[in-house]
């Protein structure tokens, strides 16, 4: 797949574009491993939902699948802050991988980190293996997700999750079909999904779970967010506040 790549810089931030004005990724040049875009920060909120980095030396996640490399922001964050994790990135466009290496400090492949060039849907359907955390952020130059936003794909994704498996899905660019996307995720995961309120960029991140249930009171989420910020610099306090204000946590407990 030949994806056109453009790079821009403004106010100390480098941006990735796929031949259009849409921002497909960003990196603050002085903080290359930080999550610059709000939606990428929210996609890491799974660290608040399972017992892992926030409170016990990184027990979860052990296996991570990232579909859609972009500017490598999620890959770099997991690589540097979850040292116990083995990470597989699936990216369909070799030009995106080359740009991430040249401009966005993509880590070298090693025993913990590897990249597969190909279609994310094909990879999930054809390759064996289970994952604790799947980060789904795959779009074309027109912000379309295609087969990555279909019921059969979400069902296949669920079948690849471990007993503590979580999926985070970036729903950016699907404003017209936003409700339909959520319905597909809910159907695939037997209603065990929640859409976090839209962040400033207009992105909506949905989380879905399989296996062991998630029950986190808001107070516990805030404390875990405090620990996560101290450990990694990632501040998810505003995300929890928006969850509470939106009514997405009935009874003050997030169930998934």
């Amino acid at each position: 797949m030949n994806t056109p790549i453009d790079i821009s810089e403004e106010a100390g931030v480098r941006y990735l574009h796929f031949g259009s004005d849409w921002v497909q990724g960003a990196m603050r040049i002085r903080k290359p491993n930080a999550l610059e875009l709000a939606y990428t920060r929210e996609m890491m909120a799974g660290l608040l939902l399972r017992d892992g980095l926030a409170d016990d030396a990184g027990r979860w996640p052990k296996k991570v699948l990232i579909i859609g490399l972009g500017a490598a922001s999620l890959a770099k964050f997991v690589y540097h802050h979850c040292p116990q994790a083995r990470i597989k990135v699936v990216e369909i466009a070799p030009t995106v991988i080359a740009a991430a290496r040249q401009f966005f400090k993509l880590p070298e492949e090693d025993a913990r980190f590897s990249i597969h060039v190909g279609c994310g849907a094909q990879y999930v359907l054809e390759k064996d293996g289970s994952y604790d955390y799947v980060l789904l952020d795959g779009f074309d130059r027109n912000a379309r997700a295609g087969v990555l936003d279909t019921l059969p794909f979400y069902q296949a994704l669920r079948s690849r999750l471990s007993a503590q498996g979580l999926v985070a899905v970036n729903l950016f660019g699907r404003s017209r079909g936003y409700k339909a996307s959520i319905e597909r995720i809910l159907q695939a995961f037997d209603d065990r999904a929640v859409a976090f309120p839209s962040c400033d960029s207009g992105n909506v991140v949905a989380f879905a779970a399989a296996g062991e249930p998630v029950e986190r009171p808001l107070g516990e989420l805030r404390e875990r967010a405090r620990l996560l910020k101290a450990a990694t610099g990632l501040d998810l306090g505003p995300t929890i506040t928006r969850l509470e204000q939106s009514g997405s946590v009935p009874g003050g407990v997030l169930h998934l």
Side-chain angles (χ1 to χ4, degrees), residues 7 14 30 36 46 50 59 104 111 124-125 131-132 134 140-141 177 182 190 205 217-218 234 238 241-242 245:
I7 306 296
R14 183 173 294 159
R30 290 188 176 181
E36 180 65 22
R50 293 294 193 200
R59 194 158 54 90
F104 295 98
V124 169
L125 289 166
Y131 298 91
D132 300 317
V134 178
D140 65 15
R141 62 186 296 182
I182 292 293
D190 293 334
V205 176
L218 281 167
L234 174 59
T241 297
R242 286 191 299 104
Q245 291 174 344

Side-chain angles (χ1 to χ4, degrees), residues 5-249:
I5 299 294
D6 294 312
I7 306 296
S8 65
E9 288 187 18
E10 184 178 351
V13 179
R14 183 173 294 159
Y15 296 96
L16 174 69
H17 311 266
F18 292 168
S20 72
D21 290 336
W22 293 110
V23 172
Q24 300 284 351
M27 178 186 75
R28 186 163 295 277
I29 295 169
R30 290 188 176 181
K31 296 181 178 180
N33 298 321
L35 295 171
E36 180 65 22
L37 300 180
Y39 89 88
T40 60
R41 297 194 289 271
E42 299 210 336
M43 288 188 76
M44 293 310 305
L47 295 172
L48 305 181
L49 305 181
R50 293 294 193 200
D51 291 331
L53 185 66
D55 63 357
D56 95 329
R59 194 158 54 90
W60 183 96
K62 287 191 171 71
K63 290 189 70 178
V64 178
L65 176 64
I66 301 173
I67 298 177
L69 177 64
S73 301
L74 294 169
K76 288 186 297 182
F77 185 89
V78 176
Y79 185 82
H80 289 285
H81 293 295
C82 303
Q84 81 288 351
R86 295 176 68 90
I87 305 154
K88 172 69 74 175
V89 174
V90 181
E91 170 55 55
I92 198 169
T95 50
V96 172
I97 300 169
R101 286 198 176 110
Q102 183 175 355
F103 298 105
F104 295 98
K105 299 187 182 297
L106 177 69
E108 294 293 327
E109 293 185 67
D110 58 21
R112 291 182 50 227
F113 180 75
S114 61
I115 299 171
H116 173 84
V117 181
C119 169
Q122 266 189 315
Y123 186 88
V124 169
L125 289 166
E126 296 175 2
K127 301 289 185 179
D128 291 330
S130 67
Y131 298 91
D132 300 317
Y133 205 6
V134 178
L135 301 164
L136 178 56
D137 188 23
F139 297 98
D140 65 15
R141 62 186 296 182
N142 299 309
R144 293 178 302 206
V147 71
L148 299 178
D149 183 26
T150 62
L151 178 59
F153 173 69
Y154 290 133
Q155 290 170 327
L157 209 52
R158 178 182 174 178
S159 74
R160 296 292 181 218
L161 293 184
S162 68
Q164 287 199 322
L166 290 179
V167 176
V169 186
N170 177 22
L171 296 174
F172 169 73
R174 304 182 197 168
S175 56
R176 290 184 180 178
Y178 164 71
K179 289 184 179 179
S181 298
I182 292 293
E183 285 301 319
R184 284 189 283 272
I185 295 170
L186 286 166
Q187 184 176 347
F189 286 86
D190 293 334
D191 292 334
R192 292 187 60 191
V194 61
F196 281 31
S198 175
C199 53
D200 292 342
S201 63
N203 297 70
V204 174
V205 176
F207 279 88
E212 299 173 17
V214 174
E215 289 189 10
R216 297 291 185 192
L218 281 167
E220 185 178 339
L221 287 173
R222 288 194 186 92
E223 174 61 14
R224 292 167 71 82
R226 184 188 68 78
L227 294 170
L228 183 63
K229 183 179 180 181
T232 70
L234 174 59
D235 185 6
L236 290 174
T239 296
I240 297 169
T241 297
R242 286 191 299 104
L243 270 174
E244 183 177 21
Q245 291 174 344
S246 71
S248 301
V249 189

